[in-house]
Amino acid sequence: MLLQVKNLHVSINGKEILKGVNLEVNKGEVHAIMGPNGTGKSTLAAVIAGKNGYEITQGEILYNGKNLLDMPPEVRAQEGIFLGFQYPVEIPGVSMTNFMRTALNEIRKYHGQEPMSAKDFLARMTEKKDLVELTSKLTNRSVNEGFSGGEKKKNEIFQMAMLDPQLSILDETDSGLDIDALRIVAHGVNKLKTKENATVVITHYQRLLDYIVPDFVHVLFEGKVVLSGGKELALELEEKGYDWIKKETENHSK
Amino acid sequence: MAQDDKQLIQEVTQSEYKYGFITNIETETAIKGLTEDTIRFISLKKTEPEWLLEYRLKAFAKWKEMKQPNWAQLKIPEIDFQEIIYYAAPKRKKELESLDQVDPELLDTFNKLGISLDEQKRLSGVAVDAVIDSVSVKTTFTETLSKHGILFCSFSEAVKNHPDLVKKYLGMAVPPSDNFFAALNTAVFSDGSFCFIPKGVRSPMELSTYFRINAANTGQFERTLIIADEGSYVSYMEGCTAPQRDENQLHAAVVEIIAMKDAEVKYSTVQNWYPGDKNGRGGIFNFVTKRGICKGDHSKISWTQVETGSAITWKYPSCILSGDNSIGEFYSVAVTNNHQQADTGSKMIHLGKNTKSTIISKGISAGQSQNSYRGLVKMTKRATNSRNFSQCDSLLLGDKCGAHTFPYIEGANKSSIIEHEATTSKISEDQLFYCQQRGINQESAVGLIVNGYAKEVLNKLPMEFAVEAQKLLSISLEGSVG
């Protein structure tokens, strides 16, 4: 098993956000995590990636059988976890090329590999940016600086392609995307899918799942996974709305 | 800020100076204290002409009437000028003709710093005038340069061999009574570099001087004079590191640049002197006067500095834009960490018509340090249609440090334009996490972000310096996070 989230309880400033989340992801699978706003989707992604400021009060996360919560964020990344950010930050003065080269070589170093030669690196850049139709004009700029919302999201998928992670978590990658950008981003994600890696797509809308077809859909509601199913669950959810989930859980708890 | 970050800042800001080592070289020193006799001793040691001794003594007389300036945003411990040794020179048995004759320990010091003369000579084609303590040990490439008529030698040699040039230009940009530290320097300066680029000559290589302070209790009073004659061009690099010491060491250098008509001088500095330990003990006091005169029309002087060292920095490389259409530039990155203090910036004095100046200053403060930008832009009445653009950015790492900006603007004519922009920012946790999530550890991430922040200035450095400067920025701040 690639990722195993067991009874995860997470608080921010004493307020419990995740209240016992369970999730299992195997290689070769695509999972979608859906749910209304403020229900803990992004918190789950951030905690898996190792962001500061979250208090894990209970539970554990295993990644390839290793305790993920013991690892600093960069080690998680080096181990193959990639987070596609909902709001990618700008880093002025640091070129995308330099940024990617540093990241790629740090990951290689972790695995005992030599830094990639400039020639191979540039060839890889060219190949991967074509995948998401990103122009050289953008990759020559500073990290995310002056990128439009859509370009930032494409840039996330570009980085995912460059770093070739084992587990990608895409946090609301579809938010703020027009239909063309959405199609390009989804195409990129689908192209990168192999039997050896897995993707967790976090989304509010079913729309993205027309393009990235999940093997499993989980509904996160009030800090818990309340429903899991196949791709048809997403459609059902779209049709009935989140109120339906609300009623279901209320009935369930009665 | 998260706990982890705070801890990291502490760790890093407590990291010890990496270039702290001492070279055992026999030195011949003057006795402590400053009197007319001290000055006569120095002058005698250097077998100087009478006029230079007189010049020194006049400066000394002025200095005695002056008071140490206290207007900077600096806490300077009281300096006892009678406790300082004003002259120290490595003992030499004879004149040196090749590197083989240089004290092996001295060469070893350069090797530790990664700036072996030998390597420099072979690989980068840089002419190096290495100054350890007060006497130039070796000047290289003089022959190549002399083919172009370029004079590049120690100041002492220039006094001996080109007294007319020295006499003509010494004090033109920085008069003896300019300020307290300049007057002191004029009275007791020991050695330094001299450079003259003749008419129409573009220097075929970057000229470079490495300074090192190397004798305990020895003040360093370097004197540099660069003259670019009509239509000439030179890029000059100055870089330095110093061994770890407990006592504070005073350094009061003077650099003068004179650019004639159509001449251009690019002066780059990487300064990495011992900043003191993490508790603020020891470290160099760096009180430097650097000034250039764009004397001729269409001349240009450009200062680029990367300041990471010294316990206290007091330094304002300036340009007097005397010629019409002349250009002055100042690009600076100043890093302070632990208990370091820096008050640095520039003065652009516009005297000629259509003169232009640019000031780009990037301050980076970490630990409990204080970092100030202080600048003056002055447009005189005659300097019509002149322009200045100043940008002063401050980056804070951690919450115990300070950044200050003191821009002074004086405009005496209506056709000139002065622009000033300033920002203050912190490295955000989100930026760091973004880097970490891509597999880059926190220390490298800070290095990356800081180098990005300072890029505009680093880009102005000559290639071989830029690489060193980038490393230096990362080392100076390793991991300090805000």
Side-chain angles (χ1 to χ4, degrees):
Chain A
M1 195 171 298
L2 191 59
L3 180 76
Q4 214 174 350
V5 179
K6 291 189 204 168
N7 189 32
L8 186 69
H9 288 254
V10 175
S11 299
I12 305 174
N13 298 327
K15 192 185 173 220
E16 193 168 53
I17 307 292
L18 298 183
K19 303 166 181 172
V21 171
N22 292 293
L23 180 69
E24 292 185 351
V25 178
N26 290 299
K27 285 178 186 174
E29 293 175 350
V30 175
H31 290 246
I33 296 176
M34 302 185 71
N37 286 331
T39 197
K41 301 191 298 290
S42 289
T43 299
L44 179 61
V47 169
I48 293 172
K51 193 171 188 210
N52 273 330
Y54 299 89
E55 195 194 345
I56 290 109
T57 52
Q58 252 192 84
E60 61 177 343
I61 306 176
L62 299 179
Y63 178 72
N64 281 323
K66 292 180 210 167
N67 184 359
L68 196 67
L69 297 176
D70 282 351
M71 299 177 198
E74 63 270 22
V75 174
R76 301 184 196 197
Q78 288 156 356
E79 285 277 347
I81 291 178
F82 179 89
L83 176 63
F85 285 76
Q86 184 176 2
Y87 304 109
V89 295
E90 299 181 2
I91 309 178
V94 179
S95 72
M96 264 319 290
T97 310
N98 188 17
F99 182 65
M100 270 295 98
R101 195 160 183 209
T102 308
L104 192 66
N105 285 335
E106 290 279 326
I107 292 171
R108 290 173 69 92
K109 194 164 94 186
Y110 180 78
H111 294 285
Q113 293 166 306
E114 291 290 308
M116 190 178 265
S117 75
K119 187 170 160 263
D120 290 350
F121 175 78
L122 290 174
R124 192 184 176 97
M125 286 274 290
T126 309
E127 183 200 331
K128 303 303 184 189
K129 70 179 193 257
D130 287 349
L131 183 76
V132 285
E133 300 177 22
L134 213 56
T135 60
S136 299
K137 213 173 88 192
L138 287 178
T139 49
N140 287 340
R141 277 197 207 155
S142 297
V143 177
N144 291 318
E145 206 179 39
F147 285 43
S148 71
E151 285 163 348
K152 281 184 183 170
K153 295 303 176 73
K154 282 192 208 171
N155 193 25
E156 292 295 293
I157 307 303
F158 163 69
Q159 293 177 55
M160 172 180 160
M162 285 298 290
L163 302 178
D164 192 20
Q166 214 176 11
L167 175 68
S168 303
I169 300 160
L170 305 179
D171 188 9
E172 307 260 2
T173 298
D174 53 335
S175 68
L177 286 190
D178 62 37
I179 201 75
D180 288 334
L182 186 70
R183 191 181 44 76
I184 292 166
V185 162
H187 170 76
V189 173
N190 289 332
K191 272 273 187 187
L192 294 171
K193 187 184 164 183
T194 70
K195 279 180 187 160
E196 290 304 311
N197 64 27
T199 307
V200 176
V201 181
I202 291 172
T203 182
H204 186 73
Y205 302 104
Q206 199 274 334
R207 189 177 69 151
L208 178 67
L209 305 180
D210 287 340
Y211 299 92
I212 302 172
V213 181
D215 301 299
F216 301 95
V217 175
H218 312 276
V219 180
L220 193 62
F221 184 69
E222 289 182 349
K224 276 184 174 178
V225 174
V226 291
L227 263 180
S228 290
K231 63 183 178 215
E232 61 287 346
L233 180 57
L235 292 169
E236 196 175 353
L237 204 60
E238 178 83 348
E239 197 182 308
K240 297 181 180 170
Y242 285 117
D243 280 348
W244 165 63
I245 296 292
K246 209 173 164 183
K247 277 178 202 150
E248 285 284 299
T249 41
E250 274 165 6
N251 289 339
H252 200 70
S253 56
K254 268 174 197 166
Chain B
M1 196 191 329
Q3 200 55 41
D4 284 7
D5 295 352
K6 279 195 180 155
Q7 206 180 336
L8 214 100
I9 292 174
Q10 292 232 307
E11 274 170 29
V12 166
T13 50
Q14 283 167 9
S15 71
E16 298 282 330
Y17 184 66
K18 294 202 170 163
Y19 295 125
F21 47 82
I22 291 164
T23 311
N24 288 315
I25 297 170
E26 280 183 72
T27 56
E28 180 188 12
T29 52
I31 46 164
K32 267 193 243 172
L34 183 52
T35 61
E36 279 202 6
D37 285 346
T38 318
I39 293 162
R40 286 179 198 281
F41 172 82
I42 294 168
S43 196
L44 183 72
K45 273 282 159 200
K46 306 182 78 61
T47 54
E48 283 177 355
E50 188 63 25
W51 67 265
L52 192 50
L53 175 62
E54 288 303 317
Y55 190 75
R56 287 174 181 275
L57 290 172
K58 266 189 207 159
F60 178 60
K62 291 266 189 200
W63 178 76
K64 281 194 288 187
E65 294 164 10
M66 298 169 99
K67 281 208 172 74
Q68 194 177 324
N70 61 1
W71 39 260
Q73 179 83 3
L74 299 170
K75 281 183 192 142
I76 306 171
E78 200 177 327
I79 300 166
D80 186 346
F81 290 93
Q82 298 307 329
E83 275 299 307
I84 292 169
I85 298 169
Y86 287 89
Y87 181 79
K91 274 187 186 168
R92 289 187 301 178
K93 289 195 177 85
K94 55 180 178 182
E95 285 292 307
L96 299 167
E97 280 158 21
S98 77
L99 287 175
D100 306 340
Q101 291 172 292
V102 176
D103 188 328
E105 248 193 281
L106 204 63
L107 289 178
D108 193 44
T109 304
F110 283 117
N111 283 325
K112 277 186 205 165
L113 292 167
I115 52 160
S116 116
L117 284 174
D118 223 333
E119 205 185 0
Q120 292 264 355
K121 214 171 156 184
R122 264 205 330 265
L123 296 176
S124 54
V126 172
V128 174
D129 177 24
V131 178
I132 282 213
D133 283 303
S134 311
V135 169
S136 289
V137 180
K138 186 70 198 163
T139 306
T140 51
F141 279 99
T142 315
E143 279 179 35
T144 319
L145 293 173
S146 66
K147 269 184 209 158
H148 290 83
I150 295 170
L151 308 174
F152 180 43
C153 59
S154 73
F155 200 91
S156 313
E157 279 166 359
V159 170
K160 278 197 189 82
N161 303 328
H162 315 286
D164 295 347
L165 284 174
V166 175
K167 202 171 176 180
K168 184 173 174 189
Y169 293 105
L170 183 66
M172 188 178 267
V174 182
S177 57
D178 186 78
N179 68 69
F180 182 81
F181 294 111
L184 179 64
N185 175 285
T186 306
V188 300
F189 71 85
S190 39
D191 211 335
S193 299
F194 174 84
C195 176
F196 179 84
I197 317 290
K199 259 183 202 172
V201 170
R202 282 186 73 86
S203 175
M205 58 185 79
E206 315 262 357
L207 303 186
S208 167
T209 309
Y210 281 92
F211 293 85
R212 264 182 83 78
I213 297 177
N214 199 53
N217 239 341
T218 305
Q220 277 267 311
F221 303 93
E222 300 291 344
R223 188 87 193 192
T224 300
L225 179 56
I226 299 169
I227 303 138
D229 210 340
E230 285 182 19
S232 67
Y233 167 84
V234 67
S235 168
Y236 190 94
M237 307 193 288
E238 172 211 309
C240 30
T241 57
Q244 190 160 336
R245 293 286 176 184
D246 274 341
E247 304 98 318
N248 289 312
Q249 290 182 300
L250 175 64
H251 183 97
V254 170
V255 176
E256 294 180 273
I257 300 175
I258 292 114
M260 310 305 275
K261 188 169 171 281
D262 297 319
E264 180 179 350
V265 178
K266 219 174 122 83
Y267 192 102
S268 313
T269 311
V270 171
Q271 188 266 112
N272 182 28
W273 284 324
Y274 180 51
D277 68 13
K278 63 190 175 193
N279 298 316
R281 215 160 48 98
I284 306 292
F285 292 178
N286 188 22
F287 304 143
V288 182
T289 306
K290 288 184 169 178
R291 193 175 304 144
I293 301 184
C294 285
K295 208 169 158 48
D297 295 350
H298 298 279
S299 57
K300 179 177 174 182
I301 292 174
S302 183
W303 299 99
T304 306
Q305 61 172 22
V306 174
E307 302 279 319
T308 62
S310 298
I312 304 177
T313 300
W314 180 96
K315 182 179 175 187
Y316 316 92
S318 305
C319 297
I320 297 171
L321 303 170
S322 176
D324 291 345
N325 300 296
S326 60
I327 297 171
E329 293 175 338
F330 174 73
Y331 300 98
S332 169
V333 177
V335 179
T336 53
N337 201 348
N338 294 316
H339 290 269
Q340 278 176 278
Q341 306 176 65
D343 193 301
T344 184
S346 182
K347 285 190 268 186
M348 294 291 174
I349 314 290
H350 293 250
L351 301 176
K353 295 184 183 77
N354 309 317
T355 45
K356 268 200 288 195
S357 65
T358 305
I359 294 174
I360 308 284
S361 164
K362 304 269 183 180
I364 301 164
S365 341
Q368 290 153 64
S369 68
Q370 296 294 328
N371 200 330
S372 304
Y373 166 82
R374 184 182 305 275
L376 168 68
V377 177
K378 184 175 183 166
M379 302 282 183
T380 57
K381 205 169 176 184
R382 203 179 82 78
T384 49
N385 296 309
S386 296
R387 293 199 69 134
N388 162 267
F389 175 76
S390 302
Q391 187 182 329
C392 305
D393 298 331
S394 309
L395 186 68
L396 296 165
L397 292 86
D399 49 15
K400 292 197 182 99
C401 53
H404 317 270
T405 305
F406 305 97
Y408 300 86
I409 291 170
E410 294 174 23
N413 72 70
K414 282 181 182 163
S415 57
S416 294
I417 299 168
I418 303 174
E419 282 179 86
H420 182 90
E421 287 179 12
T423 66
T424 303
S425 54
K426 287 183 101 175
I427 290 187
S428 78
E429 215 176 310
D430 286 343
Q431 282 174 327
L432 282 174
F433 179 61
Y434 194 78
C435 293
Q436 285 178 287
Q437 211 304 304
R438 298 304 185 243
I440 302 167
N441 69 43
Q442 217 161 14
E443 286 194 4
S444 306
V446 170
L448 201 65
I449 294 167
V450 165
N451 274 301
Y453 165 79
K455 194 179 183 180
E456 232 179 312
V457 174
L458 298 178
N459 281 347
K460 297 287 173 188
L461 288 173
M463 192 62 151
E464 48 275 76
F465 243 26
V467 176
E468 194 179 323
Q470 275 181 22
K471 278 189 209 149
L472 203 55
L473 283 192
S474 300
I475 289 172
S476 309
L477 289 165
E478 263 175 0
S480 0
V481 183

